[in-house]
Amino acid sequence: MCAVTSNAEIAQLESVYGPLADSVRRLIDATIRTTAEPTAVAAAKEKIDCATVELSAALIPDSFGVQQADDGQTMAWGNVMIGLRNPVAPPLTIHHEADGLVWTDFVLGAAYEGPPGHVHGGMCAMVLDHVLGATAHKPGRPAFTGTLTLRYLRGTPLGPLHAEARIDRVDGVKTFAVGHIADAQGITVEADGVFIHPRQNRSA
């Protein structure tokens, strides 16, 4: 069951755990790209291990899941794409326009590399899965991926990127969405997907 948290508590938690995740993101990047001397690396590892012990003193038993505030606002802070507390998440900030367009601007650095200097194709798929899915997802009425088809037009370079999606059509419980990822030179990956509302939400 989701824990109910007041908006004031959410703001306080954001101010604590958001900066922590940001610090770990920087640590991940530095871990990949450092050329520090072995003694410096060993010293840093000891500090990281100590920090891990401190943070592990109080852990929730399972995954973070989705928690809910008094006003119905959801907190998917463990989510691998948007999670405020997940340092693996870029994170994406999803915008919804009045005309139905869903978009996000984000940066993928060294932690997301596949081919040298480029984003791993699987990471592109994860981004597009989330962004296309956001067209169908509504508060209290989630939608889950049925199919996702990608067309890789060229390599997606590491760095600043843009992703967007919109609904192509709706057929009963199925939402058909299309979208893409682009860099400053244009589209790198196109996608279309089918997103399905689970049975318990179909009457919503």
Side-chain angles (χ1 to χ4, degrees):
M1 180 177 293
C2 295
V4 177
T5 308
S6 72
N7 292 330
E9 289 174 316
I10 288 178
Q12 195 273 332
L13 291 172
E14 286 177 339
S15 71
V16 172
Y17 292 111
L20 173 62
D22 287 340
S23 291
V24 177
R25 286 188 189 100
R26 293 193 297 273
L27 175 62
I28 291 170
D29 183 77
T31 299
I32 295 168
R33 300 193 298 123
T34 186
T35 58
E37 294 295 329
T39 53
V41 173
K45 176 186 176 301
E46 185 175 353
K47 293 173 185 175
I48 293 166
D49 289 344
C50 288
T52 301
V53 170
E54 289 182 17
L55 293 174
S56 299
L59 297 175
I60 59 175
D62 298 301
S63 65
F64 189 87
V66 177
Q67 299 185 24
Q68 193 170 46
D70 299 356
D71 62 358
Q73 175 185 345
T74 56
M75 301 157 53
W77 287 0
N79 186 283
V80 71
M81 284 285 101
I82 61 172
L84 177 133
R85 292 184 62 166
N86 190 341
V88 175
L92 304 183
T93 299
I94 303 297
H95 303 274
H96 295 263
E97 301 295 342
D99 64 358
L101 179 70
V102 174
W103 63 274
T104 181
D105 289 326
F106 56 103
V107 177
L108 295 180
Y112 306 101
E113 187 174 53
H118 291 78
V119 180
H120 193 291
M123 186 65 192
C124 293
M126 288 176 67
V127 169
L128 286 165
D129 181 40
H130 192 94
V131 176
L132 268 68
T135 66
H137 184 88
K138 301 293 185 296
R141 193 167 186 253
F144 299 98
T145 309
T147 62
L148 183 69
T149 303
L150 283 83
R151 291 168 293 281
Y152 294 88
L153 307 184
R154 59 185 173 88
T156 300
L158 297 173
L161 297 166
H162 172 85
E164 63 180 61
R166 64 174 64 250
I167 293 174
D168 181 52
R169 69 186 189 278
V170 176
D171 182 5
V173 299
K174 297 180 179 180
T175 297
F176 295 78
V178 295
H180 65 257
I181 293 175
D183 65 359
Q185 281 68 55
I187 295 173
T188 63
V189 188
E190 295 177 331
D192 57 79
V194 181
F195 299 87
I196 302 170
H197 294 288
R199 185 174 302 276
Q200 63 268 28
N201 291 291
R202 290 182 182 179
S203 62

